[in-house]
Amino acid sequence: MFSRRLFLASTSAALWLPKMAYAQGGKPHFTLGVASGTPKLDGFILWTRLAPDPLNGGGMPAGIAEIRVRVCTDEAMRNTVRDEIVRTSDEDAHSVHYKVTGLKPGREYFYQFYYGDEESVIGRTRTTDPNAPEARVALASCQHYETGYYAAYRDMAEWVPDCVIHTGDYIYEGGISALGAQMRDVGGGERRLFEIVRQHNSNEITTLWDYRNRHALYRSDPHLQAAHAVAPWIVAMDDHEVDNNWASDTPQDPEKQTPLEFQIRRYAAFKAYYEHMPIEAPPTFHKMRATLQLYGKYHMGPALIHLLDTRQFRSDQPCGDGRKPLCDEALDPERTMMGAAQEAWLTNSLKTSPAPFNVIATQVWYTPYRYTEAPVTNMDSWDGYPAARKRLSETLADGVSNPVFLTGDWHTAMASTVYETPFDQTSRRVGHELVGSSISSSCPWARDMEIVRDANPHVSYLNGKKRGYLRATFTKDNCQAEFRIVEDSGRPDSLVTTDTEVRTKDM
Ligand SMILES: [Fe+2]
């Protein structure tokens, strides 16, 4: 259930109070909350899903349902600017994607859905504005349901950001783990505590119904719902929304899934992702291959945000994936992280951008990282795609104003300075990378990273021990980042504090 208390504790000047969702007779339908996203100068996408039995297919009868949606300029929902009936059906799991256009830039709006005599909570959202003096951006990633509660999202909702960027691992595809705490070897004779605090709802997911039920499980969390209800989200998937470390047409374990089975699975995962996210369009087909449009740009005040999709169009991880020395395959100049169309789009946008800050939100680490004396590379990150990284770094070093990478994936909070030539601090400075920790996913490789910290002097902050997220505030000449950390991810009411603060103008 939505918590009113969250918003009473809000620091926002525009304090507002969502109403509780309820149903008069029968089961409630707005069990998964509301969301907004894909913010534009004049609108956004509003989302909800009718799901009286969310963990078992949704529970709606087959056929069409009509839902009323209202958009207002005030939290009391009096000054109405849109009031419409939208239709949905079992084709889309009774999800609603209502596209609003024609609004004013840089404004706050409130919205609510109605089904029969039932009303949803009231959501808050914003249109974008390139002329706004400031942009407050929250960065989230990696929210394994089993390994932690979402205190980070409770804290994020209290901050009331202008937008939330989610760089992926919104769900995890794996099966059910055993509950409880475990001491595990993390190498070097050291043992650390890991905990399973709640459980997945099925074995590893592969079908459309599996993916729907898994999204519904994650979305049933009240703190995740609160973060969705408070700001527009800008989202792209990483690997676990489909299958661990998949790349384009290749699954993690091709020996266990035929190419056709993986194409069907990929479509199921994309379809369910669309059904649960405030994004514009469902997956489309080219022959047997589904694609989902996720990359795009957003004008958030001084920051022009480019959200990348580094999963759907990439070359397969080289050298057999994993962490190992680079082999010749990795150096092939034809290898791509974004695919030709996305790479051309990004290069063109960066070269013509008038924004003081150019954000590149990417799923995987851009910063090179040495794991041992003899360099070992994480093949899934940009380290495994050196030619693609070189092309982008050359573009960035060539006069692009203040590039800042905002990144997830590695469950480790990090701040770095990016140089054009990896590990060469005499080469041109490209910009900075700020990595949020994971919302809840654990980091069994945190120690591996800590012990080689000195071999990575371009990294000024590193913390893989704690869960959390990033608050980044952009003004014309600075990006101020607060690394928020969760004291105890085994508790939904855990304290969340600032571990450190960095300013790009000091880095
Ligand atoms: Fe992850």
Side-chain angles (χ1 to χ4, degrees):
M1 275 290 133
F2 208 94
S3 165
R4 294 172 77 106
R5 194 173 49 78
L6 290 177
F7 296 93
L8 287 168
S10 161
T11 54
S12 165
L15 191 67
W16 58 283
L17 302 173
K19 285 176 145 184
M20 300 294 284
Y22 68 95
Q24 292 174 346
K27 289 179 171 177
H29 288 76
F30 295 111
T31 54
L32 304 177
V34 300
S36 70
T38 323
K40 305 282 182 204
L41 289 171
D42 71 337
F44 30 71
I45 308 288
L46 300 180
W47 174 94
T48 193
R49 182 183 165 206
L50 299 177
D53 191 4
L55 304 187
N56 297 292
M60 286 293 288
I64 290 169
E66 291 190 334
I67 296 164
R68 182 179 169 206
V69 55
R70 240 164 30 97
V71 182
C72 295
T73 57
D74 60 323
E75 67 244 49
M77 298 298 288
R78 291 206 183 93
N79 184 21
T80 306
V81 292
R82 295 288 182 279
D83 187 348
E84 297 206 33
I85 302 292
V86 293
R87 302 177 106 198
T88 181
S89 77
D90 48 310
E91 282 283 301
D92 290 324
H94 289 95
S95 63
V96 174
H97 296 77
Y98 174 57
K99 184 178 180 179
V100 187
T101 58
L103 301 178
K104 295 190 171 123
R107 297 290 179 89
E108 191 171 48
Y109 291 93
F110 300 84
Y111 60 94
Q112 188 169 32
F113 295 95
Y114 311 88
Y115 180 66
D117 57 9
E118 193 181 342
E119 51 189 39
S120 76
V121 296
I122 297 168
R124 170 200 177 267
T125 190
R126 286 186 73 84
T127 48
T128 63
D129 180 5
N131 299 315
E134 180 186 276
R136 296 156 76 248
V137 176
L139 173 69
S141 65
C142 297
Q143 54 196 49
H144 201 302
Y145 185 83
E146 296 188 314
T147 54
Y149 288 98
Y150 294 160
Y153 277 132
R154 192 198 72 230
D155 184 67
M156 189 187 292
E158 287 169 6
W159 191 48
V160 195
D162 295 332
C163 75
V164 176
I165 300 175
H166 199 292
T167 56
D169 289 357
Y170 188 93
I171 59 164
Y172 282 71
E173 81 283 18
I176 302 167
S177 308
L179 283 173
Q182 255 181 31
M183 291 298 285
R184 278 204 252 156
D185 283 325
V186 290
E190 204 181 314
R191 289 164 70 74
R192 287 188 185 171
L193 184 72
F194 294 90
E195 202 174 354
I196 300 295
V197 299
R198 49 185 178 174
Q199 289 176 301
H200 276 157
N201 49 345
S202 69
N203 293 332
E204 180 162 342
I205 52 176
T206 56
T207 70
L208 178 55
W209 290 104
D210 291 344
Y211 281 102
R212 283 172 171 164
N213 291 339
R214 184 61 57 89
H215 272 280
L217 175 71
Y218 279 57
R219 202 58 157 270
S220 65
D221 184 282
H223 295 143
L224 177 56
Q225 288 191 16
H228 272 293
V230 84
W233 282 43
I234 296 169
V235 301
M237 63 172 69
D238 194 19
D239 53 334
H240 289 287
E241 285 87 348
V242 182
D243 186 22
N244 182 42
N245 279 14
W246 68 283
S248 195
D249 295 322
T250 311
Q252 175 188 23
D253 37 20
E255 69 287 355
K256 291 192 199 151
Q257 309 175 56
T258 66
L260 179 61
E261 281 169 343
F262 186 66
Q263 289 295 357
I264 294 167
R265 183 179 185 183
R266 193 177 118 131
Y267 169 69
F270 286 8
K271 179 79 162 71
Y273 186 82
Y274 163 74
E275 288 168 352
H276 291 85
M277 290 293 160
I279 56 176
E280 194 162 345
T284 53
F285 276 103
H286 179 68
K287 297 186 176 159
M288 279 299 291
R289 188 168 194 269
T291 58
L292 188 59
Q293 176 58 45
L294 293 169
Y295 66 84
K297 64 178 169 179
Y298 301 88
H299 301 265
M300 301 297 302
L304 177 59
I305 293 171
H306 300 85
L307 175 68
L308 302 191
D309 175 348
T310 57
R311 194 56 64 179
Q312 213 177 151
F313 309 106
R314 65 157 77 190
S315 311
D316 194 18
Q317 293 88 349
C319 321
D321 204 357
R323 275 189 278 158
K324 53 183 67 135
L326 273 185
C327 65
D328 285 349
E329 183 195 353
L331 306 176
D332 180 352
E334 297 296 311
R335 288 173 45 72
T336 179
M337 187 57 123
M338 295 181 266
Q342 184 179 188
E343 191 171 323
W345 161 82
L346 178 65
T347 305
N348 180 54
S349 178
L350 290 168
K351 282 185 170 166
T352 55
S353 168
F357 277 85
N358 286 279
V359 171
I360 299 171
T362 169
Q363 283 67 45
V364 290
W365 276 35
Y366 196 79
T367 298
Y369 205 79
R370 276 202 180 101
Y371 284 87
T372 60
E373 298 276 310
V376 170
T377 288
N378 173 14
M379 297 299 169
D380 187 59
S381 74
W382 283 86
D383 269 342
Y385 298 74
R389 182 166 61 190
K390 185 164 185 287
R391 290 194 294 275
L392 179 51
S393 285
E394 279 170 4
T395 301
L396 293 170
D398 223 8
V400 174
S401 180
N402 290 318
V404 176
F405 289 89
L406 295 181
T407 312
D409 178 61
W410 208 227
H411 309 182
T412 303
M414 189 273 284
S416 71
T417 302
V418 179
Y419 293 90
E420 187 174 358
T421 307
F423 306 114
D424 179 1
Q425 296 189 46
T426 65
S427 67
R428 289 191 290 178
R429 274 164 65 116
V430 166
H432 298 99
E433 183 164 42
L434 304 169
V435 183
S437 182
S438 54
I439 292 288
S440 59
S441 305
S442 58
C443 186
W445 50 86
R447 188 187 167 277
D448 294 359
M449 303 189 75
E450 289 157 17
I451 56 173
V452 294
R453 179 75 194 278
D454 290 349
N456 294 278
H458 51 292
V459 171
S460 52
Y461 167 70
L462 186 81
N463 185 351
K465 283 185 179 165
K466 289 286 185 182
R467 315 284 57 89
Y469 72 101
L470 185 78
R471 293 176 173 179
T473 303
F474 293 89
T475 51
K476 202 159 58 55
D477 62 352
N478 189 33
C479 166
Q480 172 135 350
E482 277 180 74
F483 290 88
R484 300 290 285 175
I485 54 166
V486 176
E487 193 169 276
D488 179 358
S489 57
R491 296 177 61 116
D493 60 352
S494 168
L495 195 65
V496 182
T497 58
T498 296
D499 192 34
T500 198
E501 244 176 78
V502 302
R503 307 193 314 165
T504 56
K505 66 177 180 187
D506 299 337
M507 289 169 74

